[in-house]
Amino acid sequence: MTLHTIETGFFRLDGGAMFGVVPKALWERTNPADEKNRIELAARSLLIEDGDRLILIDTGMGNKQNDRFFNHFGLWGDASLDNSLIKAGFSRNDITDVFLTHLHFDHCGGAVRWNNSKTAYELSFPNARYWSNETHWNWAIRPNAREKASFLKENLLPIEESGQLHFVSRNNESFQKNTALGFDVLFVDGHTEKQMIPHIKLNGKTVVFMADLLPTVGHLPLPYVMGYDIRPLETLKEKALFLDQAATNNSLLFMQHDAKNPLITVKHTDRGVRLNESIPFNSLNQL
């Protein structure tokens, strides 16, 4: 198995929204804000090359929306999904599976694109199976008022209509072992209903795709919870349990949204679990 980082782009979001009730004087120490109070974030995906399977975890925002939409998010840098795939030696047609941790637009927007004439939508990965879970899918297609702006129908309905949508099977346990994709999945409910956190075994170590359970290194302190989370007290519990285990097991945390730290380990300290080491991603497959 080989893992590839896929940088789909970089963007900015309001720092206050990203850190909830935490004062700016505290969160700005790790995540400095621009003149509009926005912090720099990544939309980073992970590509798993495993035998004849090529599994892409999350797809970034995509490019279907208009300039007004994207101007709100202060896009920066020149990274793109296609260029990152090419750099890794692949194309969209090579992807066999697209695993979506959850269906907020910055995680699944790139799963669907315009056709060449911009008259209809089509799947960005025509040969892939698309994976969600049934509970979260139903949550997203009938969105609540709080999350409605993040669940965009143009990102979801084409997948459902394609016949290529599959659901990860799960029992009543939060940690589902040995999914059909060859990795384990942790289900968490603080950020949104049944977000999925992949746990991938590589060379005797566990690589965890953090999605929105831990957006950046700045979110390591337990009370540092995003204002976007629908159940912040549940996030507190989920983070505490996960980080304790990650520090004990020396897990490698793949940071989807941290613009500067793609891969980290954490450790126990007298202040709680904190950053141990930031690791260059290109060294991951040699660890």
Side-chain angles (χ1 to χ4, degrees), residues 225-262:
V225 173
M226 288 191 290
Y228 298 109
D229 288 15
I230 61 169
R231 304 180 184 101
L233 294 181
E234 189 69 20
T235 298
L236 277 173
K237 296 177 185 178
E238 292 166 346
K239 277 177 63 178
L241 179 61
F242 172 82
L243 289 173
D244 177 67
Q245 294 174 343
T248 299
N249 298 329
N250 198 32
S251 300
L252 296 161
L253 310 187
F254 183 88
M255 305 296 289
Q256 183 169 23
H257 285 316
D258 194 307
K260 296 185 171 77
N261 300 285

Coordinates of all heavy atoms in Angstrom, one line a residue, residues 225-262:
V225 N -13.4 24.1 19.8 CA -14.3 23.4 19.0 C -14.9 24.4 18.0 O -15.3 25.5 18.4 CB -15.5 22.8 19.9 CG1 -16.6 22.2 19.0 CG2 -14.9 21.7 20.8
M226 N -15.1 24.0 16.8 CA -15.7 24.9 15.7 C -17.1 25.3 16.0 O -17.9 24.5 16.6 CB -15.6 24.1 14.4 CG -14.3 23.9 13.8 SD -14.4 23.4 12.0 CE -15.0 21.7 12.3
G227 N -17.4 26.5 15.7 CA -18.7 27.0 15.8 C -19.7 26.3 14.8 O -20.9 26.3 15.0
Y228 N -19.1 25.6 13.8 CA -19.9 24.9 12.8 C -20.5 23.6 13.4 O -21.4 23.0 12.8 CB -19.1 24.5 11.6 CG -18.6 25.7 10.8 CD1 -17.2 26.1 10.9 CD2 -19.4 26.5 10.1 CE1 -16.7 27.2 10.2 CE2 -18.9 27.6 9.4 CZ -17.6 27.9 9.4 OH -17.1 29.0 8.8
D229 N -19.9 23.1 14.5 CA -20.3 21.8 15.0 C -21.7 21.8 15.5 O -22.1 22.7 16.3 CB -19.3 21.3 16.1 CG -18.0 20.9 15.5 OD1 -17.7 21.2 14.4 OD2 -17.2 20.2 16.3
I230 N -22.5 20.8 15.2 CA -23.9 20.8 15.6 C -24.1 20.4 17.0 O -25.1 20.7 17.7 CB -24.8 19.9 14.6 CG1 -24.3 18.5 14.7 CG2 -24.8 20.5 13.2 CD1 -25.3 17.5 14.0
R231 N -23.1 19.6 17.5 CA -23.2 19.1 18.9 C -21.8 19.3 19.6 O -21.0 18.4 19.7 CB -23.6 17.6 19.0 CG -24.9 17.3 18.2 CD -25.2 15.8 18.4 NE -26.4 15.4 17.6 CZ -26.3 14.9 16.4 NH1 -25.2 14.6 15.8 NH2 -27.5 14.6 15.8
P232 N -21.5 20.5 20.0 CA -20.1 20.8 20.5 C -19.8 20.0 21.7 O -18.6 19.6 21.9 CB -20.2 22.3 20.8 CG -21.6 22.7 20.8 CD -22.3 21.8 19.9
L233 N -20.7 19.7 22.6 CA -20.4 18.9 23.8 C -20.0 17.5 23.4 O -19.2 16.8 24.0 CB -21.5 19.0 24.8 CG -21.8 20.3 25.4 CD1 -22.9 20.2 26.4 CD2 -20.6 20.9 26.1
E234 N -20.7 17.0 22.3 CA -20.3 15.7 21.8 C -18.9 15.7 21.2 O -18.2 14.7 21.4 CB -21.4 15.2 20.8 CG -21.2 13.8 20.4 CD -21.6 12.8 21.4 OE1 -22.3 13.2 22.4 OE2 -21.1 11.6 21.3
T235 N -18.6 16.8 20.5 CA -17.2 16.9 20.0 C -16.2 16.8 21.1 O -15.2 16.2 20.9 CB -17.1 18.2 19.2 OG1 -18.0 18.2 18.1 CG2 -15.7 18.4 18.7
L236 N -16.5 17.5 22.2 CA -15.6 17.5 23.3 C -15.3 16.0 23.8 O -14.1 15.6 24.0 CB -16.1 18.2 24.5 CG -16.0 19.8 24.5 CD1 -16.8 20.4 25.7 CD2 -14.5 20.1 24.7
K237 N -16.3 15.2 23.9 CA -16.2 13.9 24.3 C -15.4 13.0 23.3 O -14.5 12.2 23.6 CB -17.5 13.2 24.6 CG -18.3 13.8 25.7 CD -19.7 13.2 25.8 CE -20.6 13.9 26.9 NZ -21.9 13.2 27.0
E238 N -15.8 13.2 22.0 CA -15.2 12.5 21.0 C -13.7 12.8 20.8 O -12.8 11.9 20.6 CB -15.9 12.7 19.6 CG -17.3 12.2 19.6 CD -18.2 12.7 18.5 OE1 -17.8 13.7 17.8 OE2 -19.2 12.1 18.2
K239 N -13.4 14.1 20.9 CA -12.0 14.5 20.8 C -11.2 13.9 22.0 O -10.0 13.4 21.8 CB -11.8 16.0 20.8 CG -12.0 16.7 19.5 CD -12.0 18.2 19.6 CE -10.6 18.7 20.1 NZ -10.6 20.2 20.2
A240 N -11.7 14.0 23.2 CA -11.0 13.6 24.4 C -10.6 12.1 24.3 O -9.5 11.7 24.5 CB -11.8 13.8 25.7
L241 N -11.6 11.3 23.9 CA -11.4 9.8 23.7 C -10.4 9.5 22.6 O -9.5 8.8 22.8 CB -12.7 9.1 23.5 CG -12.7 7.6 23.3 CD1 -12.1 6.9 24.5 CD2 -14.0 7.1 22.9
F242 N -10.6 10.2 21.5 CA -9.7 9.9 20.3 C -8.3 10.3 20.6 O -7.4 9.6 20.4 CB -10.3 10.6 19.1 CG -9.3 10.5 17.9 CD1 -9.2 9.4 17.2 CD2 -8.3 11.5 17.7 CE1 -8.3 9.3 16.2 CE2 -7.4 11.4 16.7 CZ -7.4 10.3 15.9
L243 N -8.1 11.6 21.1 CA -6.8 12.1 21.3 C -6.0 11.3 22.4 O -4.8 11.1 22.2 CB -6.8 13.5 21.7 CG -7.2 14.5 20.5 CD1 -7.4 15.9 21.1 CD2 -6.2 14.5 19.4
D244 N -6.7 10.8 23.4 CA -6.0 10.0 24.4 C -5.5 8.7 23.7 O -4.4 8.3 24.0 CB -7.0 9.6 25.5 CG -6.4 8.7 26.5 OD1 -5.5 9.1 27.2 OD2 -6.9 7.5 26.6
Q245 N -6.3 8.1 22.9 CA -5.9 6.9 22.2 C -4.8 7.1 21.2 O -3.8 6.4 21.0 CB -7.1 6.2 21.5 CG -8.1 5.7 22.5 CD -9.4 5.1 21.9 OE1 -9.6 5.4 20.7 NE2 -10.2 4.4 22.6
A246 N -4.9 8.3 20.5 CA -3.9 8.6 19.5 C -2.5 8.8 20.1 O -1.5 8.4 19.5 CB -4.4 9.8 18.7
A247 N -2.5 9.5 21.2 CA -1.2 9.7 21.9 C -0.7 8.4 22.4 O 0.5 8.2 22.3 CB -1.4 10.8 23.0
T248 N -1.5 7.6 23.0 CA -1.0 6.3 23.6 C -0.5 5.4 22.5 O 0.5 4.7 22.7 CB -2.2 5.6 24.3 OG1 -2.6 6.5 25.4 CG2 -1.8 4.3 24.9
N249 N -1.2 5.4 21.3 CA -0.8 4.5 20.2 C 0.2 5.1 19.2 O 0.5 4.4 18.3 CB -2.1 4.0 19.5 CG -3.0 3.3 20.4 OD1 -2.6 2.6 21.4 ND2 -4.3 3.4 20.1
N250 N 0.5 6.3 19.4 CA 1.4 7.0 18.5 C 0.9 7.0 17.1 O 1.6 6.7 16.1 CB 2.9 6.4 18.6 CG 3.9 7.4 18.0 OD1 3.8 8.6 18.0 ND2 4.9 6.8 17.4
S251 N -0.4 7.3 16.9 CA -1.0 7.3 15.6 C -0.5 8.5 14.8 O -0.1 9.5 15.4 CB -2.5 7.4 15.8 OG -3.1 6.3 16.5
L252 N -0.5 8.3 13.5 CA -0.2 9.4 12.6 C -1.5 10.1 12.1 O -2.4 9.4 11.6 CB 0.6 8.9 11.4 CG 1.9 8.2 11.7 CD1 2.4 7.3 10.5 CD2 3.0 9.3 11.9
L253 N -1.6 11.4 12.4 CA -2.8 12.1 12.1 C -2.7 12.9 10.8 O -1.9 13.8 10.7 CB -3.2 13.0 13.3 CG -3.2 12.3 14.7 CD1 -3.8 13.3 15.7 CD2 -4.0 11.0 14.7
F254 N -3.5 12.5 9.8 CA -3.5 13.2 8.5 C -4.4 14.4 8.6 O -5.6 14.2 8.8 CB -3.9 12.3 7.4 CG -3.9 12.9 6.0 CD1 -2.7 12.9 5.3 CD2 -5.0 13.5 5.5 CE1 -2.7 13.4 4.0 CE2 -5.0 14.1 4.2 CZ -3.8 14.0 3.5
M255 N -3.9 15.6 8.6 CA -4.7 16.8 8.8 C -5.2 17.4 7.5 O -4.5 18.0 6.7 CB -3.8 17.8 9.5 CG -3.1 17.3 10.8 SD -4.3 16.9 12.1 CE -4.8 18.5 12.6
Q256 N -6.5 17.2 7.3 CA -7.1 17.7 6.1 C -7.1 19.2 5.9 O -7.0 19.7 4.8 CB -8.6 17.1 6.0 CG -9.3 17.5 4.7 CD -10.6 16.8 4.6 OE1 -11.2 16.3 5.6 NE2 -11.0 16.6 3.4
H257 N -7.3 19.9 7.0 CA -7.5 21.4 6.9 C -6.4 22.2 7.4 O -6.4 23.4 7.2 CB -8.8 21.8 7.6 CG -10.1 21.4 7.0 ND1 -10.3 21.6 5.6 CD2 -11.2 20.9 7.4 CE1 -11.5 21.2 5.3 NE2 -12.1 20.8 6.4
D258 N -5.4 21.6 8.0 CA -4.2 22.4 8.5 C -3.3 22.8 7.3 O -2.7 21.9 6.7 CB -3.4 21.7 9.5 CG -2.5 22.5 10.3 OD1 -1.7 23.2 9.6 OD2 -2.5 22.5 11.5
A259 N -3.2 24.1 7.0 CA -2.5 24.5 5.8 C -1.0 24.2 5.9 O -0.3 24.1 4.9 CB -2.7 26.0 5.6
K260 N -0.4 24.1 7.1 CA 1.0 24.0 7.3 C 1.4 22.7 7.8 O 2.6 22.3 7.7 CB 1.5 25.1 8.3 CG 1.4 26.5 7.7 CD 2.0 27.5 8.7 CE 2.0 28.9 8.1 NZ 0.8 29.6 8.1
N261 N 0.5 21.9 8.4 CA 0.9 20.6 9.0 C 0.1 19.5 8.4 O -1.0 19.1 9.0 CB 0.7 20.7 10.5 CG 1.5 21.8 11.2 OD1 2.7 21.7 11.4 ND2 0.9 22.9 11.5
P262 N 0.5 18.8 7.4 CA -0.3 17.7 6.8 C -0.3 16.5 7.6 O -1.2 15.7 7.5 CB 0.4 17.5 5.4 CG 1.8 18.0 5.6 CD 1.7 19.1 6.6

